[in-house]
């Protein structure tokens, strides 16, 4: 991880979370919500936004307080900070849409134990200035949302034949005669789609790497 | 008050709504520690133990918070109290039973902040279980976790002998394997009411 002496450039901090260190596809962090809520696109979106909010706010606070929190109790302090923001999000979603709250279930509250957030607080926000920490958090949050949507789009399209189900913008993809693969919206579908997507990203990364080395040698 | 019978709660938590394979709680240790059968069993035991402790804590905290009229503090209290309770129990075990400590040892602090543990505390509150029901629920959830982990470890030990393509190695093949296992567990749906 980066330290003060060797801080990456500002834009890199932001972009890293999107691709090179994508929390889900590369670092395999925060898998539980990724598998559990991705059966509908709208759920993925709500989950991504809530996690990003918690990530950004807690990174900001952790970074502001980084010189005041004693080293021995840092993890406990981070967890209390994170839990506070998760409680805020939990009540906010309950107020905005009860249907959404019911379909996300306990997973909003389980953002507390999401390793991405604690991981970023410990590895990045506690060692960097607030603007950089926020930027890193936004990057990671968008990377996480991107990964959720990658799964959600595939699962909803195959499992239900629609996109953006349960919203005013619902689109039917394959027409009325489509027979949905219900396994895709059931738990096993989550494992299959994530497994195949990690496979795909590995393949893509390897291909890009090979092209890069070929270009360097030429 | 919830009036479900105890065997129904146990079977429901252990098999029908298995924490790992159908509720996706505790995926990180499931992927991380399931490479060997022996470690998987030990991890499972540690999880059962932590689940029982945290279930009792959560039950107590919930009563206190209801009396204080502050349900919005539930999440913060659960996580703080469960983490410290497990730490305390770990110290007690270390003092009185080094053998048990060696068996569960390194896993205890790891699983405290695992979503399966917090999930259990949240679900038992949601379902309004009484004290005995809570304990049975925790036992069932822990047993379900152990079953999933051990079966997965058995499959992964066999997988080591198989010829897996380069890019599929590691997480990808493990997840697909977990998908097949989860498909098998879907067969239990509807069992036990």
């Amino acid at each position: 991880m980066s330290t003060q002496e060797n801080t990456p450039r500002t834009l890199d901090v932001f972009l890293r979370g999107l691709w090179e260190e994508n929390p889900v596809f590369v670092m395999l962090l925060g898998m539980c919500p990724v598998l559990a809520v991705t059966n509908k696109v709208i759920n993925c979106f709500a989950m991504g936004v809530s996690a990003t909010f918690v990530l950004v706010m807690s990174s900001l606070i952790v970074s502001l307080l980084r010189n005041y929190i004693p080293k021995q109790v840092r993890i406990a302090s981070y967890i209390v900070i994170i839990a506070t923001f998760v409680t805020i999000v939990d009540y906010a979603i309950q107020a905005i849409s009860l249907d959404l709250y019911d379909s996300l279930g306990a997973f909003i509250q389980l953002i507390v134990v999401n390793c991405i957030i604690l991981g970023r607080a410990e590895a990045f926000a506690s060692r960097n200035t607030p603007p950089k920490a926020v930027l890193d958090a936004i990057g990671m949050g968008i990377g996480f949302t991107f990964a959720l949507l990658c799964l959600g789009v595939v699962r909803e399209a195959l499992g239900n034949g629609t996109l953006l189900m349960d919203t005013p913008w619902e689109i039917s993809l394959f027409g009325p005669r489509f027979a949905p693969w219900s396994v895709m919206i059931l738990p096993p579908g989550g494992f299959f789609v994530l497994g195949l997507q990690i496979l795909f990203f590995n393949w893509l990364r390897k291909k890009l790497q090979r092209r890069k080395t070929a270009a360097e040698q030429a | 008050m919830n009036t479900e019978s105890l065997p129904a709660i146990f079977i429901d938590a252990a098999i029908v709504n298995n924490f790992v394979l159908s509720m996706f709680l505790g995926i990180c240790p499931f992927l991380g520690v399931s490479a060997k059968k022996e470690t998987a069993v030990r991890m499972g035991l540690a999880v059962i133990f932590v689940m029982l402790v945290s279930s009792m804590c959560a039950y107590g905290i919930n009563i206190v918070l209801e009396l204080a009229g502050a349900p919005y503090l539930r999440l913060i209290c659960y996580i703080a109290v469960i983490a410290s309770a497990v730490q305390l129990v770990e110290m007690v075990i270390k003092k009185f039973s080094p053998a048990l400590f060696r068996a569960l040892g390194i896993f205890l602090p790891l699983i405290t902040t695992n979503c399966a543990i917090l999930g259990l505390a949240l679900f038992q509150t949601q379902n309004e279980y009484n004290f005995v029901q809570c304990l049975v629920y925790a036992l069932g959830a822990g047993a379900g976790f152990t079953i999933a982990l051990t079966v997965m470890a058995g499959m992964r030990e066999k997988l080591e002998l198989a010829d897996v393509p380069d890019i599929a190695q590691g997480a990808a093949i493990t997840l697909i394997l977990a998908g097949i296992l989860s498909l098998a567990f879907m067969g239990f749906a509807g069992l036990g009411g």
Side-chain angles (χ1 to χ4, degrees), chain A residues 28 31-32 35-36 79 83-84 86-87 91 106-107 109-110 112-113 115 183 186-188 191-192 194-196 198-199 202-203 206, chain B residues 21-28 71-72 75-76 79 113 115 118-119 122-123 166-168 171-172 175-176 178-180 182-183 186:
Chain A
L28 300 176
M31 301 297 258
C32 307
L35 289 162
I79 286 185
T84 313
V86 172
T87 310
Y91 278 76
F107 280 93
Q109 295 179 26
L110 287 174
V112 177
V113 281
C115 355
V183 71
L186 293 172
F191 284 116
F192 287 136
L194 184 62
L196 292 175
I198 289 178
L199 195 74
N202 279 349
W203 173 78
K206 211 155 235 182
Chain B
L21 296 169
S22 65
M23 305 225 278
F24 300 118
L25 295 168
I27 297 287
C28 304
Y72 50 85
L75 200 57
I76 298 179
I79 191 123
T113 53
C115 38
L118 189 64
L122 293 171
F123 287 133
D166 222 18
I167 48 167
L175 280 166
I176 292 171
I180 298 172
S182 162
L183 208 56
M186 293 272 308

Side-chain angles (χ1 to χ4, degrees), chain B residues 146-187:
Chain B
T146 316
I147 293 170
L149 208 64
T150 320
V151 173
M152 191 68 195
M155 281 160 78
R156 280 180 75 174
E157 279 182 0
K158 285 266 183 293
L159 193 69
E160 278 191 4
L161 304 172
D163 186 19
V164 180
D166 222 18
I167 48 167
Q169 247 152 26
I173 190 76
T174 313
L175 280 166
I176 292 171
L177 214 53
I180 298 172
L181 194 58
S182 162
L183 208 56
F185 267 73
M186 293 272 308

Side-chain angles (χ1 to χ4, degrees), chain A residues 2-14:
Chain A
S2 55
T3 51
Q4 283 285 26
E5 302 89 60
N6 167 31
T7 36
R9 287 210 328 275
T10 320
L11 190 65
D12 285 353
V13 169
F14 176 68

Side-chain angles (χ1 to χ4, degrees), chain A:
Chain A
M1 270 301 123
S2 55
T3 51
Q4 283 285 26
E5 302 89 60
N6 167 31
T7 36
R9 287 210 328 275
T10 320
L11 190 65
D12 285 353
V13 169
F14 176 68
L15 289 178
R16 225 177 26 186
L18 280 180
W19 176 251
E20 249 175 77
E21 288 185 16
N22 185 295
V24 176
F25 291 130
V26 182
M27 304 205 288
L28 300 176
L29 288 176
M31 301 297 258
C32 307
V34 170
L35 289 162
V37 304
T38 50
N39 51 3
K40 279 193 222 157
V41 173
I42 181 71
N43 285 0
C44 303
F45 193 69
M47 186 69 200
V49 171
S50 339
T52 309
F53 172 77
V54 176
L55 195 56
V56 171
M57 294 311 286
S58 51
S59 284
L60 177 69
I61 303 284
V62 166
S63 172
L64 283 172
L65 295 175
R66 69 186 186 283
N67 297 327
Y68 303 100
I69 297 177
K71 228 183 166 54
Q72 294 84 348
V73 294
R74 65 183 195 287
I75 301 284
S77 331
Y78 299 160
I79 286 185
V80 172
I81 293 170
I82 294 167
T84 313
F85 286 110
V86 172
T87 310
I88 295 174
V89 168
D90 187 50
Y91 278 76
I93 290 188
Q94 220 168 338
I96 295 167
S97 161
L98 206 57
D99 286 341
L100 192 61
Y101 183 78
D102 285 339
S103 74
L104 286 173
F107 280 93
I108 288 291
Q109 295 179 26
L110 287 174
I111 295 178
V112 177
V113 281
N114 193 322
C115 355
I116 297 172
I117 297 174
L118 193 61
R120 287 334 278 173
E122 161 74 8
F124 199 89
S126 60
R127 296 175 194 167
N128 285 283
T129 51
K132 219 167 231 175
V134 168
L135 220 56
D136 173 75
I138 296 175
M140 281 286 161
I142 294 177
F144 182 62
T145 315
F146 166 73
L148 283 175
L149 286 174
C150 275
L151 256 91
V153 167
V154 174
R155 284 181 74 185
E156 196 186 317
L158 293 177
N160 210 6
T162 55
L163 277 183
L164 294 168
M165 188 170 66
D166 293 340
T167 60
W169 309 281
E170 181 171 329
I171 310 164
S172 181
L173 284 178
F174 306 110
R177 296 176 68 187
F178 173 69
W181 306 8
S182 19
V183 71
M184 279 299 164
I185 40 177
L186 293 172
F191 284 116
F192 287 136
V193 175
L194 184 62
L196 292 175
Q197 287 193 349
I198 289 178
L199 195 74
F200 172 73
F201 277 100
N202 279 349
W203 173 78
L204 199 68
R205 191 164 296 117
K206 211 155 235 182
K207 206 170 173 189
L208 289 176
Q209 192 90 42
R210 210 175 297 147
R211 191 170 295 166
K212 210 170 153 194
T213 29
E216 271 167 13
Q217 276 168 358

Side-chain angles (χ1 to χ4, degrees), chain B:
Chain B
M1 252 307 126
N2 197 310
T3 53
E4 264 178 85
S5 73
L6 298 180
I9 292 177
F10 183 83
I11 290 179
D12 185 68
I15 297 178
V16 183
N17 282 319
N18 188 289
F19 262 43
V20 179
L21 296 169
S22 65
M23 305 225 278
F24 300 118
L25 295 168
I27 297 287
C28 304
F30 178 64
L31 296 180
V33 203
S34 65
K36 275 216 184 91
K37 250 183 274 177
E38 205 203 325
T39 26
V41 172
R42 279 195 196 170
M43 176 74 179
L45 289 178
V47 166
I48 294 180
F49 178 74
V50 175
M51 275 184 168
L52 283 173
V53 173
S54 58
S55 168
M56 283 186 257
C57 291
Y59 187 77
I61 299 166
N62 197 32
I63 291 176
V64 174
L65 287 182
E66 294 276 298
L67 285 178
Y72 50 85
L73 286 178
R74 194 179 286 150
L75 200 57
I76 298 179
C77 293
Y78 275 4
I79 191 123
V81 174
I82 290 171
S84 28
V86 172
Q87 206 93 72
L88 203 71
V89 172
E90 191 194 342
M91 283 186 240
V92 173
I93 294 180
K94 198 174 182 179
K95 180 95 172 82
F96 290 107
S97 167
L100 185 63
F101 180 75
R102 268 197 299 281
L104 306 180
I106 46 165
F107 298 120
L108 283 179
L110 272 181
I111 40 190
T112 318
T113 53
N114 170 335
C115 38
I117 308 294
L118 189 64
L120 176 93
L122 293 171
F123 287 133
Q124 77 176 33
T125 319
Q126 218 168 49
N127 293 347
E128 297 182 344
Y129 286 148
N130 65 28
F131 189 67
V132 181
Q133 282 173 322
C134 280
L135 288 186
V136 173
Y137 187 57
L139 210 60
F145 184 86
T146 316
I147 293 170
L149 208 64
T150 320
V151 173
M152 191 68 195
M155 281 160 78
R156 280 180 75 174
E157 279 182 0
K158 285 266 183 293
L159 193 69
E160 278 191 4
L161 304 172
D163 186 19
V164 180
D166 222 18
I167 48 167
Q169 247 152 26
I173 190 76
T174 313
L175 280 166
I176 292 171
L177 214 53
I180 298 172
L181 194 58
S182 162
L183 208 56
F185 267 73
M186 293 272 308
F188 292 116
L191 192 75

